[in-house]
Amino acid sequence: RRKASRRPGRENRDDNDALDVGSRVEVRGDTGTVRFVGPVHYAKGDFVGVDLDLPRGKNDGTVKGVTYFRCKPKHGTMVKRPDCILLD
C-alpha cells in the first residue's frame, strides 16, 4: 500500500511509472531529463541522475569522483525516485 503524500503533486504519481534514461521529470520545482538510474557508491538504494534545464544543480554528473552521467556544470543532481515527478 502506498503511503499518503504531503508534498504537492505527489498524489498523482504512481511508483510503478516508467522512469528511464531520457524521461522528462520535475524535481523539486525544476525540470530536466533523466540521465542515470541505478545504485551509487556513496549511499544505499537506487538514485536518479537528472540533467536540469537550468543551472540549479550541484554537479556535472560526477559525484565524489565517480561520473554517473555528463552534463553542463551546475546542471546535474542526484535524487531518490520519490523526488521525481514523471512528465508527459
Side-chain angles (χ1 to χ4, degrees), residues 28-30 43 60 71-72:
R28 301 177 185 142
D30 290 311
D60 63 357
C71 65
K72 294 178 186 175

Side-chain angles (χ1 to χ4, degrees), residues 7-25:
R7 294 185 187 176
R10 295 281 179 92
E11 57 276 359
N12 296 325
R13 186 188 57 78
D14 182 348
D15 287 333
N16 294 321
D17 283 345
L19 186 69
D20 299 312
V21 171
S23 295
R24 293 287 297 163
V25 293

Side-chain angles (χ1 to χ4, degrees), residues 1-19 24-28 48 79-88:
R1 181 167 24 159
R2 191 169 36 163
K3 293 180 181 177
S5 174
R6 294 183 182 175
R7 294 185 187 176
R10 295 281 179 92
E11 57 276 359
N12 296 325
R13 186 188 57 78
D14 182 348
D15 287 333
N16 294 321
D17 283 345
L19 186 69
R24 293 287 297 163
V25 293
E26 181 180 322
V27 177
R28 301 177 185 142
V48 179
V79 296
K80 289 288 212 170
R81 172 62 179 95
D83 291 325
C84 295
I85 298 171
L86 187 62
L87 302 176
D88 293 330

Side-chain angles (χ1 to χ4, degrees), residues 15-88:
D15 287 333
N16 294 321
D17 283 345
L19 186 69
D20 299 312
V21 171
S23 295
R24 293 287 297 163
V25 293
E26 181 180 322
V27 177
R28 301 177 185 142
D30 290 311
T31 57
T33 303
V34 174
R35 300 291 184 207
F36 170 85
V37 179
V40 295
H41 77 284
Y42 58 88
K44 290 183 179 182
D46 285 345
F47 279 75
V48 179
V50 180
D51 179 356
L52 298 172
D53 296 337
L54 298 174
R56 295 188 180 151
K58 296 182 177 182
N59 58 58
D60 63 357
T62 299
V63 181
K64 298 186 178 184
V66 176
T67 300
Y68 294 96
F69 63 98
R70 295 187 190 283
C71 65
K72 294 178 186 175
K74 301 290 185 184
H75 282 252
T77 189
M78 295 292 260
V79 296
K80 289 288 212 170
R81 172 62 179 95
D83 291 325
C84 295
I85 298 171
L86 187 62
L87 302 176
D88 293 330

